[in-house]
Amino acid sequence: MNTRTYDVVVFGATGFTGRLVAEYLAAEYGSDVRWAMAGRSADKLAAVRDEIGAPADTPLVVADSADPASLKAMAEATAAVVTTVGPYQLYGEPLIQACVEAGTDYVDLCGEPAWMYDIIRNYDAPAKASGARIVLSCGFDSIPFDLGVYFLQQHAIATSGAPLSRVKGRVRKMKGTFSGGTAASFAETMARAAKEPDVINRLRDPFSLVPDFDGPKQPSGMKVIFEEDLNTWSAPFIMASINTKNVHRSNALLGHRYGEDFVYDEMFATGPGENGEQFAKLIANDKSMAENPPKPGEGPSKEERETGFYDAMFTGVTEDGTRLTAGVAGDKDPGYGSTSKMIAESALCLVKNVGRDETPGGVYTPAPAMGEALIGRLQEHAGLTFQIES
C-alpha cells in the first residue's frame, strides 16, 4: 500500500462532517500524512481546502457515487478511504465495491443495520480475497461503545482469567446533538422497513450482524427502569440499537472472546432519586429525532462542538462477585467534533498501525479490526480517554 499515491482520501469533504474530518487532518497532521480531499466538485473542494486552512498543495480528487469509474480511480490511488457520504444505503455500496475490488481499506460512519447486514453478506468473502479491510461504524456509533466493551473485557480477562458474561453500557453524561446524517439514515431505514418486512426483523434482532449465530436473549432497554445494582434510574439510549449489534459482531469476530452467552445492553443513566426518575422519563419521551430532526449538511457551531462532551461507563461482575468498571469519555460533541476525529484516526490506524497479517481482509467492526492500536491513537490524538475505574 505504500506504493499508492495517498494514505487516506476523505470522500465527501465538502459536506458538513467531511469538512470537519479534512480540517482535523490538516490541523493534526498537515503534510505529514499523504491525504487528499474528494468530492463531486473541484471548485467546492478548493474553496473548502482554503477555508479550513489546509495546505495549499492538498490534493483534490473529483469522484461521484454515481460514477463508478471515478470511484475505481480514487480507490486505486489510496491505501484507505474515509467516507462521510450517507445515507450509506443510498450512496455507500458503489464505493465499497470499488474498495473491495482494489484491495483498499474503507471506514465509514454507518449506523444503518439493515444495510450493514447486506454488506456483510455480499462483501465479506470478496474483501477477504482482495485484502480490503471494510470497517463500518467508525464514529460515535460505535467506537466508544465497541471499544469500551473491548477495553473492559480485556481487563477482566487479564485480572480474573475470564470475560464478563454480562456487561452494562451506560451513558453518564452527554452534551451535543446528533448529526443530520444520522437523522437521514434513520428516516431512510424506516422507509425501507415499510417496503421490506424482513428489515424489521433485522432491526429487532441483536445478532443480525452475526451470520449463522443466535445468542441468548438480550434486555430490550426500551423502558425507564431503576437499577439497584448501579443505584440509578436509566432511560432508553437512541444509539443502543446499532451499538449493541456491533458489539455482538465484534464478539463473534474475536472468536467469541466475551463468551457465546454474552449479554449486553445500553441505556442512559440519569441518577437516583426523584430527579433521576424525572430526567429518565424526559429522555424516554423525547421525540425530537422523529419530529424535528436536523437536516443533512446542517450542524452545530464551532463553539457548540468545542463545548460538547460525552462520558460512558461499562460495568460487569466477575464470577467471584467483583465489580469491574471502565470509563470512556470524549472531549467534543459526539456527533460532529469527536466523530470527525475518530473516523480520521481509524483510517490512519489501518494504514499506519495494523498490518494485514494481523487484520486480514473482511468486513469488520472497530474492535476486532484495530483494538489496542486504535485505543492508543484515540487517546494520543483524538481527545478520548479509556480508564479502568474499579
Side-chain angles (χ1 to χ4, degrees):
M1 287 295 170
N2 60 7
T3 62
R4 297 199 175 184
T5 306
Y6 312 117
D7 294 319
V8 176
V9 169
V10 181
F11 182 55
T14 59
F16 194 93
T17 305
R19 176 188 178 118
L20 294 177
V21 177
E23 187 173 25
Y24 172 73
L25 287 171
E28 188 73 12
Y29 295 102
S31 299
D32 294 338
V33 171
R34 299 176 305 154
W35 67 281
M37 299 167 59
R40 291 180 294 180
S41 167
D43 290 342
K44 289 183 179 179
L45 286 167
V48 170
R49 176 193 62 197
D50 296 341
E51 288 167 5
I52 65 175
D57 60 352
T58 301
L60 309 178
V61 177
V62 176
D64 189 332
S65 296
D67 181 0
S70 69
L71 298 179
K72 180 177 185 293
M74 179 177 68
E76 291 176 346
T78 186
V81 173
V82 168
T83 176
T84 61
V85 180
Y88 294 99
Q89 56 201 296
L90 294 182
Y91 307 111
E93 186 171 356
L95 178 56
I96 283 187
Q97 182 176 347
C99 288
V100 168
E101 292 176 353
T104 298
D105 294 338
Y106 162 105
V107 295
D108 69 19
L109 300 173
C110 189
E112 305 165 43
W115 181 77
M116 295 162 67
Y117 172 95
D118 294 335
I119 295 304
I120 292 164
R121 293 280 179 176
N122 296 333
Y123 290 96
D124 189 45
K128 287 177 178 175
S130 73
R133 281 91 62 87
I134 308 299
V135 190
L136 310 175
S137 304
C138 290
F140 185 61
D141 50 332
S142 295
I143 278 179
F145 305 92
D146 190 31
L147 289 182
V149 174
Y150 173 86
F151 182 69
L152 177 64
Q153 292 285 28
Q154 292 290 89
H155 175 67
I157 293 168
T159 56
S160 71
L164 301 166
S165 62
R166 171 75 171 104
V167 170
K168 295 183 176 184
R170 298 293 182 265
V171 178
R172 296 184 287 201
K173 298 178 183 177
M174 187 171 72
K175 179 184 177 184
T177 59
F178 293 101
S179 71
T182 295
S185 296
F186 176 78
E188 192 60 35
T189 297
M190 291 302 99
R192 182 180 172 188
K195 301 174 186 175
E196 303 175 42
D198 188 51
V199 169
I200 292 293
N201 295 331
R202 297 179 204 168
L203 296 177
R204 290 174 176 167
D205 180 6
F207 300 98
S208 63
L209 302 185
V210 187
D212 307 317
F213 178 77
D214 186 17
K217 183 176 176 60
Q218 304 288 311
S220 72
M222 295 305 293
K223 64 179 182 179
V224 171
I225 59 173
F226 182 75
E227 303 187 89
E228 292 187 6
D229 59 329
L230 302 179
N231 190 32
T232 183
W233 287 91
S234 293
F237 177 51
I238 192 170
M239 309 308 296
S241 176
I242 180 59
N243 290 339
T244 53
K245 291 177 177 61
N246 277 327
V247 166
H248 286 303
R249 178 162 178 78
S250 289
N251 184 29
L253 292 176
L254 290 165
H256 285 105
R257 188 178 300 177
Y258 314 157
E260 292 192 359
D261 60 346
F262 179 59
V263 176
Y264 174 69
D265 71 330
E266 289 178 3
M267 300 188 77
F268 200 115
T270 57
E274 184 177 345
N275 288 341
E277 182 179 10
Q278 293 304 314
F279 187 23
K281 290 179 178 178
L282 185 67
I283 292 173
N285 292 324
D286 182 14
K287 302 294 191 294
S288 58
M289 179 63 85
E291 296 175 356
N292 187 30
K295 297 178 182 178
E298 294 181 350
S301 67
K302 182 177 177 63
E303 180 182 358
E304 290 171 324
R305 297 194 304 270
E306 293 291 326
T307 58
F309 56 82
Y310 54 90
D311 171 43
M313 74 169 180
F314 304 87
T315 186
V317 178
T318 64
E319 293 181 359
D320 68 1
T322 302
R323 178 168 293 280
L324 302 179
T325 301
V328 178
D331 68 343
K332 299 288 186 291
D333 80 297
Y336 296 93
S338 190
T339 279
S340 58
K341 296 191 290 184
M342 285 188 279
I343 193 172
E345 291 299 336
S346 296
L348 291 172
C349 187
L350 287 172
V351 174
K352 302 289 188 179
N353 303 109
V354 182
R356 279 173 170 73
D357 54 341
E358 182 180 353
T359 302
V363 179
Y364 287 92
T365 40
M370 294 171 276
E372 286 90 351
L374 182 55
I375 290 173
R377 291 196 71 99
L378 294 174
Q379 293 198 111
E380 183 177 355
H381 298 281
L384 273 73
T385 57
F386 291 75
Q387 293 184 326
I388 297 299
E389 298 178 354
S390 64

